[in-house]
Each structure stands twice: as C-alpha cells, then as structure tokens.
Amino acid sequence: EGTSYGIVPFMNPDKLAMVSALVGAGGNLGAVIALWGIYNPLGSGDELLPFKVHAGYVLFWALMNVGYYWPDKGGMFCPPLPTAAERFKDKDVNSIESSTV
C-alpha cells in the first residue's frame, strides 16, 4: 500500500487533496471488494486459500505501479521528456529560423 500513497504528490500537484481523498477511499473500497469478492465465495475448503487469493490480488495491483509515467518526471524505466528549452539548447538559432521559413 505504500507505493500507492507514495505517488500521491506526483499525480496532480494542483489537486493534491482530491487525489489523496480518492486514494484513501480506494483503500476502503479495496477492503470491501476483498471481503465480498474473495473471502465469501471461496467457502470452507482450504483455510489458507482466501489469504493466498488475496495475496495474489495485492501483488497484481502492486506490480501495476511499475507502469506509471509522468512526462515531466519520467517513469521507472523511461526518462522524462525534454522540455522545449532543452530540445533547442544545443541547436544554432539561425538554423532553426531558416528551417521554419
């Protein structure tokens, strides 16, 4: 769960309170889904089966955090996109003007 809360400040800094509320509510919703979707229908077979299924559920969603990407900050395996100033920093201004005319 720490991975979900750790990315909250990066999601949308302008709407930090709203994103924090949605992540917090998502934790409560996840608990309800786990209770009614995993523990109830499995019945009374193997006593550890609900915990194994829940562990798989948590592991699956935790591994989804690897795919997050922000254009200005990058991702786990990709660098951020260069800004306009960085793209034109090494180019000659005259060559840029002549290519646009």
Side-chain angles (χ1 to χ4, degrees):
E1 292 182 26
T3 55
S4 298
Y5 291 105
I7 63 167
V8 166
F10 301 105
M11 295 298 288
N12 191 345
D14 296 335
K15 296 186 169 97
L16 182 62
M18 184 171 59
V19 174
S20 298
L22 289 174
V23 169
N28 295 333
L29 180 62
V32 172
I33 290 171
L35 177 66
W36 291 104
I38 295 174
Y39 291 102
N40 279 344
L42 294 177
S44 62
D46 179 14
E47 292 179 0
L48 293 178
L49 182 61
F51 296 105
K52 293 176 185 176
V53 172
H54 192 187
Y57 172 81
V58 170
L59 187 62
F60 171 78
W61 288 110
L63 291 174
M64 293 293 107
N65 291 326
V66 176
Y68 293 144
Y69 178 80
W70 291 270
D72 59 331
K73 294 174 184 58
M76 188 172 280
F77 303 111
C78 301
L81 292 175
T83 62
E86 291 172 342
R87 283 185 291 215
F88 296 116
K89 179 172 63 174
D90 296 331
K91 294 185 178 183
D92 183 20
V93 175
N94 293 330
S95 66
I96 295 171
E97 290 175 0
S98 64
S99 65
T100 57
V101 176

